[in-house]
Amino acid sequence: MLDALVIGAGPAGIGTALALAAVDDLVFGVVDRGAIGQTFLDWPAEQTFLTPSFTGNGFGATDLNSVHPETSPAFSLGVDYPTGRQYATYLRGVATHFALPLLEGTEVTSVTPRDGGFEVRCSRGPVLARSLVWAGGEFGDPVAPRIAGHPLLDHSSGAAAWESRPGDVVVIGGYESGIDIACHHVRRGSRVTIVDEQSPWDAGSGSDPSFRLAPRSRMRLVAALSTGKLTLVASHAVAVSPTSDGYSTRLGDGRTVTSGSRPIAATGFGPGLGPVEHLFASRGDGWPELDEDDQSTLTPGLFLSGATIRHGGMKFCFVYKFRQRFAHVARVIGDRAGKDVAALEAWRAAGMLTDDLSCCGVECAC
Ligand SMILES: Cc1cc2nc3c(=O)[nH]c(=O)nc-3n(C[C@H](O)[C@H](O)[C@H](O)COP(=O)(O)OP(=O)(O)OC[C@H]3O[C@@H](n4cnc5c(N)ncnc54)[C@H](O)[C@@H]3O)c2cc1C
């Protein structure tokens, strides 16, 4: 029986595995149904990171997109805003360098708690593990708005939404992914309307990037608006229907906006828990309920890693946020297995270990 199995080889799975590798003598493995960094390989080619990479590691400011204290995508890739393919290359390089025990092309289809551990059914056969880390990501769980005609929408995570489109373009949802894809189509010469009742393009009051557009998005938004081809509408879409020459999106305020192609839903993702969904309790807002160790409140020994983590009002939806938990989870797993976890303090020194979550809500003064 393994001490731990990590499901998913994106930044969360690779990062957690790297922390597990620092625990003396721990026997663990990683599986992914696709390749290392599969989600990033599946990103539309035009999409790039919005968190910048920079090799500040030596001075305690570890590259924001790094998953290990001694690595930096800026250093290994030579770019500051990696594309999906570039970031997948970084992840593969790190996994190879640290010789992670990893199986690609191995899908987990079911998980059953059994005898102080878990029986995990994979496409290559069963695996037994004492602890389990779900790092399956949210990309496989795109969420469309519940409005009439929603099957007529293209989700922003799909390649179709990024292709050139005839006529005007309508984007439902105006946060990061909505701004991203709208700016992309404006750059290609389309007239674009973004519809979002919350007006997330306005500055907002807090400094947390999970609730406020990133500077890169803000700069792109200003540039797109200056072309006169981008319109922002603070209303919500209530229905989509086909017309003789395209599509009509009806808004809550009675107006309609028309488009020459299927409207794009930039409405985010769900928790994507797949085969472990039944092993987590759900919070009132639909996100999995976790204890202070990012462990399921329903199933001891099952941990969550990645952008799906929520604690109270805190979202961990960037690499620089959810990586704060890799070493913490590895320490809990290592302690339970009776192993030496001292090496994980290197994560803290690199600014990559937060075990006291009360310090994460700091606001910038200016
Ligand atoms: C469009 C978009 C843009 C983003 N931009 C940024 C950004 O600029 N900066 C930033 O910090 N964050 C960004 N994020 C947020 C976050 O960093 C990414 O979502 C990131 O991919 C999350 O990492 P992860 O490892 O949790 O999930 P993923 O990278 O999705 O990895 C999950 C892995 O699990 C595998 N898997 C899933 N189910 C199974 C199964 N049943 N069996 C085996 N394997 C399975 C998948 O194949 C995949 O490889 C962005 C997210 C999105 C959606």
Side-chain angles (χ1 to χ4, degrees):
M1 186 186 275
L2 295 174
D3 290 319
L5 178 71
V6 179
I7 306 170
I14 296 288
T16 308
L18 291 165
L20 290 172
V23 176
D24 205 25
D25 224 13
L26 197 81
V27 183
F28 72 96
V30 187
V31 291
D32 197 294
R33 66 180 170 199
I36 295 172
Q38 185 62 56
T39 291
F40 294 90
L41 295 171
D42 292 342
W43 270 19
E46 298 82 357
Q47 197 163 349
T48 67
F49 265 60
L50 48 91
T51 44
S53 271
F54 194 85
T55 311
N57 300 39
F59 284 75
T62 305
D63 188 320
L64 285 182
N65 300 319
S66 165
V67 295
H68 184 279
E70 292 161 22
T71 70
S72 158
F75 171 69
S76 59
L77 300 170
V79 299
D80 46 8
Y81 293 95
T83 62
R85 287 210 159 260
Q86 288 169 332
Y87 194 67
T89 301
Y90 158 73
L91 290 177
R92 180 168 292 280
V94 172
T96 306
H97 178 80
F98 290 96
L100 288 181
L102 194 149
L103 274 179
E104 298 175 90
T106 307
E107 175 159 20
V108 170
T109 52
S110 76
V111 173
T112 313
R114 214 183 287 295
D115 304 331
F118 297 90
E119 183 183 322
V120 181
R121 290 201 174 273
C122 301
S123 48
R124 290 178 192 242
V127 180
L128 295 176
R130 276 188 198 88
S131 296
L132 209 59
V133 181
W134 174 256
E138 81 277 36
F139 199 70
D141 189 11
V143 170
R146 286 195 203 139
I147 59 173
H150 64 84
L152 299 172
L153 301 169
D154 284 334
H155 195 270
S156 59
S157 59
W162 293 76
E163 284 162 8
S164 285
R165 319 200 123 216
D168 293 353
V169 174
V170 167
V171 176
I172 300 172
Y175 194 50
E176 292 293 1
S177 55
I179 301 297
D180 194 8
I181 200 159
C183 291
H184 163 77
H185 285 296
V186 166
R187 210 170 47 237
R188 289 197 163 187
S190 300
R191 300 181 66 83
V192 181
T193 302
I194 308 180
V195 178
D196 193 322
E197 191 179 25
Q198 307 296 324
S199 313
W201 46 79
D202 290 338
S205 52
S207 22
D208 185 339
S210 295
F211 301 96
R212 179 188 178 93
L213 283 182
R216 183 173 171 79
S217 307
R218 207 154 271 294
M219 288 163 64
R220 294 179 66 208
L221 180 62
V222 169
L225 285 168
S226 73
T227 65
K229 293 189 164 197
L230 180 62
T231 307
L232 305 174
V233 176
S235 183
H236 65 288
V238 292
V240 176
S241 52
T243 62
S244 55
D245 53 356
Y247 294 82
S248 165
T249 302
R250 189 155 49 83
L251 307 182
D253 59 15
R255 285 182 288 171
T256 56
V257 280
T258 56
S259 53
S261 59
R262 293 157 66 92
I264 296 168
T267 37
F269 300 84
L273 296 172
V276 294
E277 188 176 6
H278 63 295
L279 300 175
F280 283 95
S282 179
R283 307 189 335 169
D285 58 3
W287 295 93
E289 195 165 62
L290 303 174
D291 70 8
E292 59 191 13
D293 296 325
D294 299 349
Q295 185 175 214
S296 165
T297 52
L298 216 57
T299 316
L302 172 60
F303 297 83
L304 183 65
S305 180
T308 305
I309 298 174
R310 301 282 185 281
H311 284 288
M314 261 185 292
K315 294 183 180 179
F316 287 68
C317 53
F318 290 101
V319 172
Y320 80 90
K321 290 184 170 189
F322 62 72
R323 73 182 184 185
Q324 295 294 328
R325 307 297 285 167
F326 298 160
H328 181 75
V329 165
R331 188 173 51 197
V332 174
I333 291 174
D335 276 342
R336 282 189 191 160
K339 309 291 185 186
D340 181 359
V341 298
L344 290 169
E345 283 307 302
W347 266 250
R348 194 189 303 283
M352 281 181 58
L353 170 54
T354 301
D355 32 28
D356 175 9
L357 293 171
S358 65
C359 65
C360 298
V362 178
E363 289 294 343
C364 299
C366 53

